[in-house]
Amino acid sequence: MSTTENSTDIDGVSRRDFLRAGGLGVVGLSGASLAASFTAASNRRAILIMMTGGVSQLETFDPKPEAPASVRGPFKSIETAVPGLRFSESLPGLAQRANRLTVIRSLTHDAAPIHETGMQILQTGRLSMNGLVFPHWGSLVASRIPGRNGVSTNVILPGLISETGVSAYRGQQSGILGTEWEPDLVTSDPADEPESIRRMYGHSEFGNLLLKARQQIEQGTRCVTVNLFDSLKDRITWDCHGDKRCSPATLFDYQAKLCPEFDQAMSGLLDDLAQRGLLDDTLVIATGEFGRTPYVNENMGRDHWTGCWSGIVAGGKVSGGKVIGSSNASAAEPTERPVDPGELTATLLQWCGVDGMSHHFQAGGQELHLVPHAPLTELWN
């Protein structure tokens, strides 16, 4: 894994020479095919909501009401608008909108259980290797699909993720594409909106972030990444170790603050996009970089767990009211259809008109796919 956010030298070869030599390029697409892909994607937008810190699957979208308390945790589950599908009791708004969501319950990866690996895979499609730093999905879109209306193609709110515990790449820069494709950073303070709209999202930082994301989409931005937290240090975040020395959040913070604020902000975003006629053209994905342990720790928290976690997908003409994958009785591992977070990267790219597997790079004498995953086509089946 690279330990730097930018690399000016790639195994002794400058980035400019690397790109000039064809290390990254479109393979097998004619000019007509490229034009067609641009046209198909011309109105498409995507929002990736990073539930930074690694949100618990058991306290959100994959509760286990029949499990022992040590696994189940302190909260109840509730019915949703989809028969047989249950969410945590702290997400009543999203439960009512479950027929507009696809829930993924089998996200998993086998890299080191640290924040930085999951952040890389989810946002770039793979881990850094051989000194190469791979581009954020929005940077790749910006480099291949023309912008519009003079607005930024790729925006990150409210700033790059930092202070996650390890000094390593976190997947939010342009990497080998070059600095001209760096994401633009935009404050989370939304422009003037009627009080009725602000109430939809809730008067919270989550609400401000998702309202600002909608404003960016409405202005013509194609790719928006929302960091619900841009730092994990000494804060109440989804990283619920219950450790007062570094990660003080507990599951009770999920119930008292995090889940209610996310529930209202996310529900507001979906309703607002739908009312403005933007939801069908905007793919919305919300997930963390990993999940939490299938047991509650002694501090009433849960620790890092890459074996299995959940996410939700909406908009983008996605089939609602369905579940992709499943987990075992403790939400510790997938029992069917494991989903690599890199598949979500490929899905975001495809929706925006870019085939990640058609782009290649050279490493160790091999030509490799930039994003070695196929899109999650089950979302539209």
Side-chain angles (χ1 to χ4, degrees):
M1 181 189 303
S2 169
T3 57
T4 61
E5 293 289 334
N6 285 295
S7 175
T8 57
D9 189 83
I10 301 170
D11 291 348
V13 179
S14 73
R15 179 186 286 108
R16 180 176 297 177
D17 290 339
F18 174 83
L19 295 172
R20 184 187 298 127
L24 186 66
V26 180
V27 176
L29 288 179
S30 67
S33 296
L34 282 171
S37 69
F38 293 161
T39 300
S42 62
N43 293 318
R44 292 184 178 180
R45 311 157 175 91
I47 302 173
L48 173 62
I49 300 169
M50 294 287 293
M51 303 180 77
T52 333
V55 64
S56 170
Q57 64 277 23
L58 288 140
E59 274 69 42
T60 53
F61 305 111
D62 195 10
K64 299 295 182 182
E66 305 302 321
S70 59
V71 171
R72 180 181 71 244
F75 310 130
K76 299 177 182 178
S77 67
I78 57 174
E79 295 181 352
T80 72
V82 179
L85 177 64
R86 302 183 74 86
F87 287 174
S88 167
E89 64 177 330
S90 299
L91 300 173
L94 290 173
Q96 293 173 9
R97 294 162 177 79
N99 58 341
R100 295 159 58 185
L101 307 172
T102 289
V103 182
I104 303 172
R105 283 179 163 172
S106 55
L107 283 157
T108 184
H109 75 73
D110 58 5
I114 57 176
H115 299 284
E116 299 76 14
T117 55
M119 290 174 178
Q120 284 187 48
I121 301 169
L122 178 58
Q123 296 176 98
T124 76
R126 59 161 63 243
L127 291 174
S128 299
M129 59 183 294
N130 298 337
L132 301 180
V133 175
F134 299 112
H136 179 265
W137 65 277
S139 293
L140 183 55
V141 172
S143 74
R144 294 302 182 221
I145 305 292
R148 56 190 172 187
N149 303 337
V151 301
S152 300
T153 296
N154 181 29
V155 160
I156 291 180
L157 300 169
L160 299 179
I161 298 172
S162 65
E163 297 182 305
T164 53
V166 175
S167 179
Y169 182 48
R170 300 178 181 93
Q172 296 200 323
Q173 294 184 276
S174 56
I176 60 176
L177 290 179
T179 55
E180 66 181 301
W181 304 114
E182 290 288 357
D184 289 315
L185 306 183
V186 177
T187 176
S188 62
D189 184 26
D192 290 341
E193 291 279 350
E195 177 60 23
S196 59
I197 298 298
R198 288 185 174 271
R199 281 198 302 269
M200 287 175 63
Y201 289 82
H203 292 281
S204 67
E205 183 57 21
F206 289 176
N208 286 342
L209 285 164
L210 296 194
L211 177 52
K212 187 64 178 182
R214 188 273 289 164
Q215 290 178 340
Q216 290 294 138
I217 288 297
E218 195 168 37
Q219 291 167 15
T221 299
R222 293 187 187 279
C223 307
V224 178
T225 300
V226 180
N227 296 325
L228 293 185
F229 297 101
D230 57 6
S231 169
L232 300 180
K233 186 177 180 180
D234 300 327
R235 307 174 64 178
I236 300 299
T237 73
W238 302 110
D239 196 26
C240 59
H241 293 285
D243 185 344
K244 295 180 180 180
R245 297 169 299 176
C246 59
S247 300
T250 70
L251 297 180
F252 294 118
D253 291 304
Y254 272 47
Q255 184 182 50
K257 178 178 174 65
L258 299 173
C259 284
E261 291 183 358
F262 174 75
D263 185 57
Q264 184 169 4
M266 187 71 183
S267 297
L269 174 66
L270 298 180
D271 291 351
D272 199 11
L273 288 172
Q275 290 172 12
R276 293 169 189 270
L278 297 171
L279 189 59
D280 277 355
D281 291 328
T282 306
L283 184 68
V284 182
I285 297 177
T287 190
E289 64 269 28
F290 49 51
R292 312 305 297 188
T293 49
Y295 51 83
V296 180
N297 68 25
E298 60 185 8
N299 300 315
M300 194 49 71
R302 298 183 190 268
D303 301 312
H304 297 182
W305 190 259
T306 64
C308 191
W309 76 97
S310 301
I312 55 173
V313 185
K317 301 181 177 66
V318 164
S319 303
K322 64 187 293 186
V323 177
I324 295 176
S326 62
S327 66
N328 67 358
S330 59
E333 60 185 30
T335 54
E336 63 178 46
R337 185 52 176 101
V339 175
D340 189 288
E343 293 179 69
L344 294 181
T345 317
T347 302
L348 289 162
L349 290 170
Q350 182 198 52
W351 176 254
C352 292
V354 175
D355 180 359
M357 292 189 74
S358 292
H359 296 74
H360 300 79
F361 67 97
Q362 301 284 340
Q366 292 182 294
E367 184 174 81
L368 302 175
H369 293 295
L370 185 62
V371 179
H373 302 281
L376 197 62
T377 56
E378 295 100 311
L379 291 168
W380 290 276
N381 294 336

